[in-house]
Amino acid sequence: LRGDIREAPLSRLTLEEVSRQVSGMFTQASAAGKGPIPERLTQLIFEESDGNPGAVVEILEHLIQNDRLRRRPAGWVLRAI
């Protein structure tokens, strides 16, 4: 089995790539996911995740589960962290 597994080194995401990942996740999560994503949110997630795509998902899930990030008709609202 070890002969069939190859290591694929992954590089960290840039701020722009994290922004695209976050936008894509919100669009998938909500049919009305056209509201703006706060720029501050993307910046915070980028800094906290260090560009790790898995950490981006975990951070967003944590913010939503702890009621820090909410969907409003005008878009997503990030409450004080």
Side-chain angles (χ1 to χ4, degrees), residues 14-67:
T14 64
L15 176 59
E16 183 179 322
E17 291 167 328
V18 167
S19 180
R20 284 196 306 263
Q21 181 184 4
V22 169
S23 294
M25 290 174 64
F26 281 118
T27 301
Q28 291 173 0
S30 170
K34 298 185 188 328
I37 306 299
E39 214 173 293
R40 180 173 143 237
L41 171 63
T42 302
Q43 183 67 42
L44 286 171
I45 291 173
F46 174 71
E47 291 170 6
E48 290 298 317
S49 70
D50 194 30
N52 180 320
V56 170
V57 172
E58 293 294 323
I59 291 167
L60 285 171
E61 288 176 353
H62 175 79
L63 291 173
I64 292 168
Q65 289 172 357
N66 290 286
D67 205 27

